[in-house]
Amino acid sequence: MTRPPTAALVVACAAVLTTVAGLVIAWSLRPPALSDAGATAPQDELRCGTTTCRSIVKREVGVDSVELLVGEGAGRIRTAGASGPNIFELTIASSGAEITEASLQCVDAEVGVCLVRGEVDGEVLGEVLVRRSGAWSRAQVPYVSSGAYLALRDVDDDTVADVVAVQRACPSGDDCAGWFAQVFSLAEGGGELGCTAVVDVPEALPGWPEVGPSPPDLGSCGT
């Protein structure tokens, strides 16, 4: 018996609806794409030199965070939080300095300060970010310690951290029994605060092992 046209039409429509329903179910069960899962697509990954950046250390500085990222022969400093996102070049990484979890020291205050340091060829290289009025900027002076010590300490009690660098009292490459501490201000205007007297062993420096001379300990650094 020939099926009535109306019945055939009903069967055809039912088949179409079944197919559409199957497609809808298959779509709902598909594996999540990168954008659905909240992941970052490869083209959006932050690059450090020839490789993708990897995080080494992150510190909280009040309402902000400061993070060190490194790759093959290059690195970046990333800040986030109330100050907004910022990315700075990690210049000492490009100079070959070793970046570790101990490379980042930060002091949270009205003027926030972060020192990034790393060792290369027997010296410690450093660079500084300063947060004033809620905005981070780079201190333009690069810092070098020939005595394997570079750290932040408020030497002059002005509530702004200073950079303390231990130096060898001899020409580069020479070995001598002479050590002194050199202090740099990060307050507005900056500049060199002075140097301590030369001592025979680093343990004799004021405050060792956390070197921190007081203003009366400082004199001219000479030439």
Side-chain angles (χ1 to χ4, degrees):
M1 178 183 294
T2 304
R3 189 183 301 272
T6 54
L9 182 60
V10 170
V11 171
C13 290
V16 170
L17 290 174
T18 301
T19 302
V20 171
L23 291 174
V24 170
I25 293 172
W27 173 260
S28 67
L29 296 177
R30 81 197 192 286
L34 285 175
S35 58
D36 297 332
T40 302
Q43 62 267 27
D44 295 330
E45 291 177 342
L46 189 61
R47 307 289 292 182
C48 292
T50 58
T51 60
T52 301
C53 295
R54 68 182 189 278
S55 177
I56 299 298
V57 61
K58 185 177 183 179
R59 300 270 187 261
E60 301 302 320
V61 190
V63 294
D64 293 330
S65 65
V66 177
E67 184 178 19
L68 301 187
L69 307 160
V70 299
E72 187 63 37
R76 299 182 187 275
I77 310 170
R78 178 164 60 190
T79 69
S83 62
N86 296 283
I87 296 177
F88 301 87
E89 195 71 23
L90 182 53
T91 60
I92 64 172
S94 302
S95 299
E98 182 182 5
I99 307 300
T100 69
E101 289 186 3
S103 292
L104 181 60
Q105 181 189 7
C106 294
V107 175
D108 181 30
E110 183 176 349
V111 176
V113 178
C114 283
L115 167 67
V116 186
R117 58 205 170 182
E119 188 173 347
V120 59
D121 297 331
E123 295 183 327
V124 179
L125 306 183
E127 57 190 290
V128 168
L129 293 185
V130 179
R131 182 188 61 200
R132 290 188 175 91
S133 302
W136 288 97
S137 62
R138 184 192 298 278
Q140 296 303 311
V141 179
Y143 300 95
V144 180
S145 165
S146 60
Y149 183 93
L150 195 63
L152 296 175
R153 188 169 182 126
D154 186 5
V155 170
D156 55 0
D157 294 324
D158 64 351
T159 72
V160 180
D162 306 300
V163 176
V164 179
V166 171
Q167 310 291 8
R168 300 296 303 275
C170 51
S172 177
D174 292 350
D175 192 18
C176 64
W179 308 74
F180 66 94
Q182 186 178 19
V183 183
F184 301 89
S185 171
L186 294 172
E188 287 285 2
E192 189 178 68
L193 289 181
C195 292
T196 64
V198 176
V199 296
D200 294 336
V201 292
E203 291 81 1
L205 292 169
W208 182 269
E210 296 182 3
V211 181
S214 61
D217 295 324
L218 300 178
S220 173
C221 292
T223 58

PDB file of all heavy atoms in Angstrom, residues 33 51 67 202 215:
ATOM      1  N   ALA A  33      37.458  24.247  23.958  1.00  0.00           N
ATOM      2  CA  ALA A  33      38.550  24.929  23.256  1.00  0.00           C
ATOM      3  C   ALA A  33      39.346  25.734  24.252  1.00  0.00           C
ATOM      4  O   ALA A  33      38.944  25.942  25.390  1.00  0.00           O
ATOM      5  CB  ALA A  33      37.970  25.845  22.171  1.00  0.00           C
ATOM      6  N   THR A  51      62.134  31.967  23.600  1.00  0.00           N
ATOM      7  CA  THR A  51      61.242  30.985  24.211  1.00  0.00           C
ATOM      8  C   THR A  51      60.107  31.671  24.961  1.00  0.00           C
ATOM      9  O   THR A  51      60.133  32.874  25.198  1.00  0.00           O
ATOM     10  CB  THR A  51      62.008  30.075  25.193  1.00  0.00           C
ATOM     11  OG1 THR A  51      62.582  30.886  26.233  1.00  0.00           O
ATOM     12  CG2 THR A  51      63.117  29.320  24.480  1.00  0.00           C
ATOM     13  N   GLU A  67      56.526  40.089  39.524  1.00  0.00           N
ATOM     14  CA  GLU A  67      56.897  38.734  39.121  1.00  0.00           C
ATOM     15  C   GLU A  67      58.063  38.770  38.146  1.00  0.00           C
ATOM     16  O   GLU A  67      58.109  39.611  37.239  1.00  0.00           O
ATOM     17  CB  GLU A  67      55.690  38.067  38.466  1.00  0.00           C
ATOM     18  CG  GLU A  67      55.882  36.627  38.072  1.00  0.00           C
ATOM     19  CD  GLU A  67      54.611  36.035  37.476  1.00  0.00           C
ATOM     20  OE1 GLU A  67      53.731  36.830  37.038  1.00  0.00           O
ATOM     21  OE2 GLU A  67      54.483  34.803  37.434  1.00  0.00           O
ATOM     22  N   PRO A 202      84.523  40.952  55.297  1.00  0.00           N
ATOM     23  CA  PRO A 202      83.155  41.456  55.150  1.00  0.00           C
ATOM     24  C   PRO A 202      82.359  41.350  56.443  1.00  0.00           C
ATOM     25  O   PRO A 202      81.438  42.145  56.671  1.00  0.00           O
ATOM     26  CB  PRO A 202      82.558  40.574  54.043  1.00  0.00           C
ATOM     27  CG  PRO A 202      83.432  39.375  53.975  1.00  0.00           C
ATOM     28  CD  PRO A 202      84.793  39.831  54.366  1.00  0.00           C
ATOM     29  N   PRO A 215      73.907  56.495  58.947  1.00  0.00           N
ATOM     30  CA  PRO A 215      74.498  57.673  58.308  1.00  0.00           C
ATOM     31  C   PRO A 215      75.874  58.069  58.866  1.00  0.00           C
ATOM     32  O   PRO A 215      76.764  58.436  58.075  1.00  0.00           O
ATOM     33  CB  PRO A 215      73.447  58.767  58.549  1.00  0.00           C
ATOM     34  CG  PRO A 215      72.152  57.997  58.541  1.00  0.00           C
ATOM     35  CD  PRO A 215      72.463  56.708  59.239  1.00  0.00           C
TER      36      PRO A 215
END
